[in-house]
Amino acid sequence: MMVNEIKKRLRKLGDKERAAVSQRFFKTGPGEYGEGDIFAGITVPELRKLARQYRHMTLNDTTELLQSPIHEERLLALLILIHKFSTGAAPLKKQIFDLYLNNTRYINNWDLVDVSAQYIVGAYLVQKTKKVLYRLAKSEDFWERRIAIMSTFHFIRQNDFSETLKIARVLIADREDLIHKAVGWMLREIGKRDMQTEEEFLLKYYKQMPRTMLRYAIEKFPKVRRRLYLTGKI
């Protein structure tokens, strides 16, 4: 079975010292956001190489891999799904989109979200209703909320900022630091392409923003202007 073959290859690539570093970096301790996650200690370049090799594996096998307790196995599954989505016809894209949304409980760390959401959810929703993003943005699961905002990176890359700004408003009072960072990051990406649009949003909402969100959003601003935002003197 292909999944067993992949798991054997991953075990050989694993590195205990790298795994220990990843366990700390991705906050897997009690009460932390990645509590209980298990790392094998495999680099992302190695996983990307495997994803290319196994891009033709079945969706059932890919789903089994996505539901693994091992972090790198889930990441590999997502990379394979991205390959499949990018080259697939419309029916396959719909299958992958549905599979993704039905398995968000396994897309449960920021790297898993950030590597995949824009390329599957965002890409699928181009020229379609965006209602699902607002459902995700209001989810009790903060990884689903991060999926909502990170999916809009696909639209930003096409110079379409409207959904990002709307979802940023939904998330502006979110309680999670990882959401603050993601929203601020997406606002900064808008600013790279259209500073006026980002500033119009900031001038309305910057005093309501969590500090981290604002810092991420204005990271590329001139030093004096950053200081004005941070001191509330704009």
Side-chain angles (χ1 to χ4, degrees), residues 4-139:
N4 292 333
E5 176 188 323
I6 291 174
K7 289 185 176 184
K8 286 179 182 178
R9 291 190 65 177
L10 291 174
R11 280 196 294 272
K12 290 179 180 178
L13 290 170
D15 179 277
K16 289 183 179 180
E17 290 185 8
R18 187 183 296 121
V21 171
S22 295
Q23 298 275 158
R24 293 191 295 272
F25 182 73
F26 287 97
K27 308 294 184 184
T28 63
E32 295 181 313
Y33 62 73
E35 181 176 358
D37 206 352
I38 302 168
F39 284 78
I42 305 167
T43 67
V44 174
E46 288 171 326
L47 292 171
R48 289 190 181 279
K49 182 179 179 180
L50 285 173
R52 290 191 294 271
Q53 294 175 15
Y54 288 99
R55 64 187 182 277
H56 299 303
M57 71 186 293
T58 68
L59 282 185
N60 284 341
D61 282 350
T62 311
T63 302
E64 182 179 342
L65 201 61
L66 180 59
Q67 295 174 353
S68 168
I70 307 300
H71 187 97
E72 288 93 342
E73 292 181 6
R74 301 199 303 281
L75 178 53
L76 176 57
L78 290 168
L79 294 171
I80 291 169
L81 288 174
I82 291 166
H83 274 293
K84 288 180 172 296
F85 187 97
S86 67
T87 58
L92 180 59
K93 291 180 188 292
K94 176 66 163 62
Q95 278 185 282
I96 293 170
F97 173 77
D98 290 341
L99 186 161
Y100 190 97
L101 292 184
N102 288 331
N103 286 276
T104 55
R105 63 190 177 278
Y106 303 105
I107 307 168
N108 58 352
N109 216 311
W110 56 264
D111 63 320
L112 303 178
V113 173
D114 297 358
V115 80
S116 62
Q118 62 172 308
Y119 297 110
I120 295 176
V121 179
Y124 181 77
L125 292 176
V126 172
Q127 298 183 339
K128 296 182 180 69
T129 177
K130 309 300 190 293
K131 286 182 180 179
V132 66
L133 294 183
Y134 297 90
R135 175 179 66 77
L136 292 169
K138 295 174 183 178
S139 172

Side-chain angles (χ1 to χ4, degrees), residues 153-215:
F153 203 170
H154 186 86
F155 314 143
I156 292 172
R157 292 180 186 278
Q158 297 178 331
N159 292 315
D160 178 359
F161 312 131
S162 59
E163 300 301 334
T164 305
L165 296 174
K166 290 174 186 175
I167 291 173
R169 287 199 293 272
V170 173
L171 296 174
I172 205 163
D174 199 278
R175 62 188 179 276
E176 295 289 346
D177 185 64
L178 285 170
I179 302 300
H180 305 166
K181 291 177 179 178
V183 173
W185 175 15
M186 291 302 98
L187 292 173
R188 185 174 74 237
E189 290 296 332
I190 290 174
K192 288 180 182 178
R193 296 159 175 83
D194 186 339
M195 181 63 75
Q196 182 178 344
T197 295
E198 183 188 3
E199 287 234 55
E200 286 175 357
F201 182 89
L202 291 176
L203 289 172
K204 288 182 182 178
Y205 299 107
Y206 83 97
K207 290 185 178 180
Q208 302 171 36
M209 286 182 176
R211 198 72 165 178
T212 298
M213 187 185 295
L214 178 59
R215 284 187 179 278

